[in-house]
Amino acid sequence: MKVTDGRRSLRVTARATSGRRQLVRISAAEVPSKMSKVWWFDDRELRPGHGEKLELDLPAVGLQSFWLVLHVFSTAGDGWRRSIVKRKASLQVPENELAFDDYASHDGEMSATAARGVVLNLAYCGAEDR
């Protein structure tokens, strides 16, 4: 997710909508590359239970802009699998209702039993919200 104002703090809200366990991993990068990790940003995790809504406030990174890296997983009978984002997302903060479906198969295709797994909302914190 592109964060166009890295001098502002962010709020990430995760709401689990399926019965499977959910895991949202959050990190930061200067550009969309694994080699450009923002080293002073402490990676975070959210693990919302079914029907649970968790909020996490992230401090300002201090860069003019950066990328918030989101990895979302859900459990199947045989362990954690990556969830797939719905295609209609803007991929820029703020973003409401960024939906991830449970879970991709090993080849990246959606399973016939996929269900809405977790919904994320990302917004700037504070009185300056737009």
Side-chain angles (χ1 to χ4, degrees):
M1 298 288 302
K2 177 73 171 180
V3 179
T4 58
D5 189 351
R7 296 171 300 241
R8 295 176 66 190
S9 58
L10 298 171
R11 174 166 292 144
V12 178
T13 304
R15 181 173 37 90
T17 55
S18 80
R20 294 186 172 112
R21 292 186 344 200
Q22 305 292 321
L23 169 61
V24 179
R25 288 189 175 150
I26 304 165
S27 59
E30 291 185 57
V31 294
S33 160
K34 292 182 181 181
M35 301 305 292
S36 69
K37 183 170 174 39
V38 176
W39 60 269
W40 60 91
F41 182 91
D42 292 327
D43 294 354
R44 309 281 170 62
E45 287 187 355
L46 290 171
R47 294 176 180 252
H50 177 65
E52 183 180 24
K53 179 174 137 179
L54 297 178
E55 291 184 345
L56 175 65
D57 288 340
L58 302 174
V61 170
L63 299 171
Q64 183 174 352
S65 67
F66 70 99
W67 292 85
L68 197 64
V69 181
L70 304 170
H71 294 282
V72 180
F73 302 89
S74 64
T75 57
D78 56 348
W80 292 100
R81 292 202 181 166
R82 187 177 303 268
S83 298
I84 302 296
V85 68
K86 299 300 277 185
R87 294 180 190 258
K88 295 182 181 180
S90 73
L91 302 182
Q92 183 169 313
V93 173
E95 174 63 52
N96 293 315
E97 302 295 313
L98 180 63
F100 289 82
D101 285 342
D102 293 341
Y103 52 79
S105 66
H106 292 294
D107 61 6
E109 294 296 316
M110 289 303 299
S111 165
T113 60
R116 180 67 42 89
V118 67
V119 177
L120 301 179
N121 291 311
L122 298 104
Y124 293 107
C125 295
E128 300 171 358
D129 288 347
R130 296 175 196 159

